[in-house]
């Protein structure tokens, strides 16, 4: 202020010096805010806390909003930053692409590696996709249950695979990923679609268990049902009528008028997609909803296409209703698996049993309905035979399904017997690890330095039979008793309602059932579908866009990793706030 008064009195220079806010500027930032003799603010040094915070914020903005690096050179962006902080000088795009974003990626990766190392088990899902620049990528996602019983999912990596997508090549890529992220000792499970190369990849990489995506399985089973001759003919008839309304604006306008007159919802007709069976069911549902308006429209003189309506008879309408009725539970199951945040593997066995029960033939079934049910039952019942043990074990460890009512008594008891054995083995493994930790590290060296003991007659006669070693039988019996008691206690508890969260239940019963809680954390982390890796495709399409079609594979990996990690952190913050 004294300098300002001196310049105004002696040199006729008027300078307005804004008073710095103590709360927002401190230390080196205060010195950088001092104006020069011409009243201009000095630039903010790069090593100040304020400058580093702004640079880090811009880097997170680029990753979260999937902006190209060139955004830092855009006129509008630079004007906005200059308005917010005139002293800050925006670094070059090269600085962000070669230093800032890679450093953010490394620090975030280290944080994730720590979480993976603390987990009991890690489950992986994987799928491949092709960018707009025809680059082929394979994305791997990881799923785990934290020590606080929170289901967490992360994108581990996205790698180019320019070789043939054979099971061997994908398997080697999965094996390298486990080595890079040091999760090979976490007994990683694998969830993929039903493609033959993915099945081979799981065997090559040695994943146990390897579970096929339940949503993808439902899709394959349902597509076979839609290819039954009578159903396929019916879908063809409906498809031709729907195509007419999609081609003709006159037909669409007339249909809208008829809907308003008849008091029906003003909805457009849906066209099915050959790769999505549920789109065929949705097409039939919409057609049945609007059939009176469709009939009135087709009979109108303006269209002169009255012959079209005669392709659908009353039998066809009845068959369409039967298809919708049969496929309704399948559609609900598919929607639940795709929309639920983290459906675990424990849902597969009871849901498969429920759907097979629904597909049993009834007396009033038509020939087409009976053929659809038979086709679906034959295919669906042959699925998951190799992974049935882990599916039933996961269901038994889920407090919602622990009663296993879909099994016969003999099979139900066998499942819990195996669960008791697994619990006993986990206790013994833990005891062995504790014994190794308690053993002094130099015991072996002392044994070597100790002079050899002279063998006596008793040693020569019975040394190999009655060795002086601790007896392990009482420990084994004790472990089996503890495991059996805990399993019996768990089975006697009231099942959790289906609307409740199984992980929250285990969080409140972890101290009461410590052995089974550890097994539950290991099993329930496995997702029932590979939807998590497939959802990366939409994000990847926004990242590898026409604006950034030449983006390097390393940058693609970093962007997808940081984008998905920021989404996970955002969801977790909302959960904490709520």
């Amino acid at each position: 202020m004294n300098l300002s008064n001196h310049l105004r009195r002696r040199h006729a220079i008027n300078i307005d010096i804004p008073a710095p806010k103590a709360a927002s500027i401190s230390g080196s930032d205060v010195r950088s805010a001092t104006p020069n003799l011409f009243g201009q603010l000095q630039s903010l040094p790069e090593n100040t806390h304020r400058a580093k915070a702004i640079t880090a914020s811009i880097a997170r903005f680029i990753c979260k909003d999937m902006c190209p690096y060139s955004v830092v050179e855009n006129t509008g962006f630079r004007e906005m930053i200059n308005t917010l902080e005139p002293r800050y000088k925006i670094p070059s795009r090269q600085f962000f692409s070669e230093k800032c974003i890679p450093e953010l990626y490394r620090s975030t990766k280290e944080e994730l590696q720590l979480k993976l190392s603390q987990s009991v088990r890690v489950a992986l899902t994987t799928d491949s996709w092709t960018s707009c620049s025809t680059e082929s990528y394979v994305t791997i996602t990881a799923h785990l249950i934290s020590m606080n019983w929170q289901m967490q999912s992360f994108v581990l990596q996205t790698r180019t695979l320019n070789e043939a997508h054979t099971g061997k090549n994908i398997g080697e890529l999965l094996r390298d990923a486990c080595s890079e992220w040091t999760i090979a000792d976490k007994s990683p499970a694998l969830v993929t679609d039903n493609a033959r190369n993915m099945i081979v990849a799981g065997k090559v990489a040695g994943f146990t268990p390897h579970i096929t995506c339940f949503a993808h399985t439902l899709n394959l089973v349902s597509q076979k049902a839609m290819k039954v001759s009578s159903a396929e003919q019916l879908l063809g008839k409906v498809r031709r009528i729907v195509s007419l309304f999609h081609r003709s604006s006159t037909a669409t306008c007339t249909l809208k008028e008829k809907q308003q007159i008849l008091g029906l919802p003003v909805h457009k007709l849906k066209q099915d997609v050959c790769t999505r069976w549920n789109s065929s069911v949705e097409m039939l549902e919409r057609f049945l909803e609007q059939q009176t308006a469709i009939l009135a429209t087709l009979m109108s003189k303006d269209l002169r296409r009255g012959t079209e309506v005669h392709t659908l008879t009353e039998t066809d309408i009845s068959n369409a209703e039967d298809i919708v009725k049969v496929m309704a539970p399948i559609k609900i199951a598919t929607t639940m698996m795709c929309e639920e945040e983290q459906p675990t593997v424990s849902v597969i066995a009871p849901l498969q049993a429920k759907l097979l029960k629904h597909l049993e033939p009834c007396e009033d079934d038509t020939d087409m309905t009976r053929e659809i049910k038979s086709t679906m039952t034959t295919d669906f019942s042959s699925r998951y035979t190799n992974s049935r043990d882990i599916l039933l074990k996961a269901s038994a460890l889920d407090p919602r399904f622990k009663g296993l009512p879909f099994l016969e008594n003999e099979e139900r008891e066998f499942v819990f017997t195996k669960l008791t054995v697994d619990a006993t083995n986990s206790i013994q493994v833990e005891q062995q690890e504790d014994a190794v930790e308690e053993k002094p590290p130099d015991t072996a060296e002392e044994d070597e330095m100790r002079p050899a003991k002279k063998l006596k007659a008793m040693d020569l006669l019975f040394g190999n039979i009655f060795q002086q070693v601790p007896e392990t039988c009482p420990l084994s019996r004790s472990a089996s008793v503890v495991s059996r008691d805990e399993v019996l206690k768990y089975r006697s508890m009231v099942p959790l309602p289906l609307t409740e969260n199984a992980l929250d239940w285990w969080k409140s019963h972890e101290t009461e059932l410590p052995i089974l809680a550890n097994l539950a954390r290991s099993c329930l982390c496995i997702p029932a579908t590979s939807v998590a890796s497939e959802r990366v495709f939409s994000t990847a399409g926004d990242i590898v866009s026409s604006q950034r079609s030449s983006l390097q594979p390393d940058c693609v990996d970093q962007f997808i990793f940081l984008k998905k990690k920021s989404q996970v952190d955002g969801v977790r913050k909302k959960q904490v706030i709520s």
Side-chain angles (χ1 to χ4, degrees):
M1 186 61 67
N2 291 334
L3 177 60
S4 176
N5 293 335
H6 171 78
L7 293 173
R8 186 168 53 253
R9 289 196 308 267
R10 301 295 183 183
H11 304 283
I13 299 177
N14 294 324
I15 300 178
D16 293 329
I17 302 178
K21 296 180 180 179
S24 60
I25 303 178
S26 60
S28 59
D29 291 349
V30 172
R31 292 190 294 272
S32 64
T34 305
N36 58 22
L37 292 178
F38 299 99
Q40 298 175 344
L41 293 177
Q42 296 179 0
S43 61
L44 192 65
E46 296 179 359
N47 59 350
T48 60
H49 176 74
R50 173 74 171 161
K52 291 179 179 179
I54 296 175
T55 302
S57 180
I58 294 175
R60 291 192 297 271
F61 158 74
I62 292 174
C63 295
K64 287 185 177 182
D65 289 356
M66 298 178 289
C67 298
Y69 292 122
S70 60
V71 71
V72 299
E73 298 177 349
N74 293 347
T75 305
F77 181 81
R78 300 182 74 88
E79 287 181 357
M80 179 185 67
I81 296 297
N82 183 65
T83 302
L84 297 174
E85 180 52 85
R87 300 171 297 140
Y88 176 73
K89 182 179 179 182
I90 303 177
S92 64
R93 61 185 295 180
Q94 186 177 5
F95 173 82
F96 284 99
S97 63
E98 296 181 0
K99 184 177 180 181
C100 193
I101 300 294
E103 287 181 357
L104 179 60
Y105 170 77
R106 282 191 293 269
S107 62
T108 308
K109 183 177 180 179
E110 292 174 359
E111 176 187 343
L112 179 54
Q113 282 181 319
L114 179 61
K115 289 184 179 181
L116 294 174
S117 65
Q118 296 173 346
S119 64
V120 175
R121 188 184 214 165
V122 178
L124 303 181
T125 65
T126 185
D127 211 334
S128 58
W129 54 279
T130 304
S131 68
C132 63
S133 58
T134 65
E135 283 282 350
S136 182
Y137 292 91
V138 175
T139 295
I140 303 174
T141 63
H143 309 265
L144 58 90
I145 296 177
S146 66
M147 301 309 295
N148 195 32
W149 289 96
Q150 295 292 325
M151 181 71 77
Q152 298 181 356
S153 301
F154 309 93
V155 172
L156 287 189
Q157 63 184 43
T158 300
R159 296 288 187 269
T160 55
L161 187 61
N162 296 322
E163 300 84 7
H165 285 208
T166 61
K168 180 180 178 181
N169 292 335
I170 298 176
E172 291 176 353
L173 190 148
L174 290 170
R175 202 159 45 201
D176 293 342
C178 291
S179 177
E180 178 181 347
W181 290 89
T182 61
I183 57 175
D185 60 338
K186 297 296 181 181
S187 302
L190 180 65
V191 180
T192 66
D193 58 26
N194 292 264
R196 190 178 302 276
N197 61 338
M198 289 298 181
I199 302 299
V200 174
K203 294 179 180 179
V204 171
F207 282 95
T208 304
H210 178 192
I211 299 172
T212 54
C213 171
F214 193 68
H216 191 256
T217 299
L218 289 178
N219 183 50
L220 294 178
V221 172
S222 301
Q223 281 189 0
K224 285 190 176 182
M226 294 294 100
K227 291 180 180 179
V228 170
S229 58
S230 53
E232 195 170 22
Q233 290 176 5
L234 173 61
L235 289 173
K237 295 177 182 179
V238 176
R239 195 176 293 122
R240 285 193 296 270
I241 296 176
V242 172
S243 299
L244 166 67
F245 288 91
H246 278 264
R247 294 193 312 266
S248 173
S249 58
T250 303
T252 303
C253 293
T254 306
L255 176 63
K256 185 175 181 180
E257 293 175 359
K258 300 300 182 182
Q259 289 171 339
Q260 294 173 346
I261 294 173
L262 296 172
L264 295 174
V266 182
H267 292 157
K268 293 183 178 180
L269 300 184
K270 293 186 176 181
Q271 183 77 59
D272 64 340
V273 181
C274 60
T275 57
R276 293 176 58 245
W277 71 269
N278 53 332
S279 65
S280 299
V281 176
E282 291 172 356
M283 180 182 69
L284 292 179
E285 289 176 340
R286 182 60 55 83
F287 184 89
L288 292 173
E289 175 192 83
Q290 303 290 338
Q291 60 174 316
T292 54
I294 294 172
L295 174 61
T297 303
L298 293 174
M299 294 297 293
S300 63
K301 295 181 180 180
D302 295 337
L303 292 178
R304 296 180 181 179
R305 302 184 68 90
T307 54
E308 290 280 350
V309 74
H310 298 298
T311 59
L312 281 186
T313 63
E314 292 183 1
T315 303
D316 293 331
I317 297 297
S318 178
N319 287 339
E321 293 174 348
D322 289 342
I323 291 177
V324 171
K325 183 179 178 181
V326 171
M327 303 305 296
I330 315 294
K331 181 182 176 183
I332 294 173
T334 302
T335 304
M336 181 189 70
M337 286 296 180
C338 295
E339 289 183 354
E340 193 170 342
E341 184 177 358
Q342 284 298 336
T344 57
V345 72
S346 60
V347 184
I348 294 180
L351 191 53
Q352 184 183 26
K354 176 67 176 178
L355 295 178
L356 287 174
K357 182 72 175 178
H358 167 72
L359 294 174
E360 292 180 354
C362 301
E363 294 181 359
D364 57 346
D365 285 344
T366 61
D367 293 339
M368 184 196 67
T369 303
R370 193 175 293 107
E371 187 177 3
I372 289 176
K373 287 184 175 181
S374 176
T375 301
M376 296 183 69
T377 300
T378 302
D379 190 8
F380 200 25
S381 58
S382 64
R383 306 278 181 172
Y384 299 108
T385 55
N386 296 331
S387 55
R388 184 168 176 79
D389 289 344
I390 184 64
L391 298 184
L392 295 179
K393 178 181 175 181
S395 298
L397 288 169
D398 192 322
R400 298 171 296 177
F401 311 116
K402 69 185 184 70
L404 304 179
F406 54 91
L407 298 180
E408 298 294 336
N409 291 334
E410 184 177 353
E411 188 175 9
R412 185 185 306 119
E413 294 301 322
F414 181 70
V415 171
F416 281 104
T417 299
K418 294 184 67 175
L419 186 62
T420 304
V421 173
D422 291 341
T424 302
N425 293 336
S426 66
I427 294 176
Q428 293 175 344
V429 170
E430 186 176 352
Q431 289 176 345
Q432 292 175 359
E433 292 177 352
D434 293 341
V436 171
E437 292 178 358
E438 293 176 359
K439 184 178 180 180
D442 56 347
T443 302
E445 297 179 1
E446 292 179 359
D447 292 342
E448 293 178 359
M449 297 174 62
R450 191 178 297 133
K453 184 176 66 174
K454 186 177 180 180
L455 295 177
K456 297 182 179 181
M458 284 295 229
D459 295 320
L460 293 173
L461 289 174
F462 302 110
N464 294 331
I465 302 175
F466 300 99
Q467 295 181 355
Q468 300 297 318
V469 295
E471 188 176 358
T472 58
C473 292
L475 288 177
S476 300
R477 285 198 298 271
S478 176
S480 63
V481 170
V482 171
S483 301
R484 184 187 61 195
D485 292 344
E486 188 165 314
V487 171
L488 291 175
K489 183 177 181 180
Y490 171 66
R491 295 184 67 180
S492 65
M493 294 179 173
V494 179
L496 186 69
L498 296 177
T499 55
E500 300 296 324
N501 191 315
L503 298 185
D504 291 342
W505 188 93
W506 275 113
K507 183 178 180 180
S508 60
H509 292 80
E510 182 177 12
T511 56
E512 190 177 1
L513 304 168
I515 306 171
L516 294 181
N518 193 54
L519 293 177
R521 185 180 273 112
S522 174
C523 286
L524 299 183
C525 69
I526 306 173
T529 69
S530 59
V531 172
S533 57
E534 294 175 2
R535 282 176 178 160
V536 176
F537 300 171
S538 58
T539 299
D542 293 332
I543 290 175
V544 190
S545 59
S546 57
Q547 288 182 314
R548 296 183 295 184
S549 58
S550 59
L551 199 63
Q552 295 298 316
D554 290 344
C555 295
V556 174
D557 180 26
Q558 294 172 8
F559 265 112
I560 295 177
F561 177 82
L562 294 172
K563 168 65 177 179
K564 289 300 181 180
K565 183 63 168 60
S566 66
Q567 288 180 343
V568 171
D569 293 340
V571 171
R572 195 171 298 124
K573 287 180 181 178
K574 290 181 180 179
Q575 292 174 346
V576 171
I577 293 174
S578 60

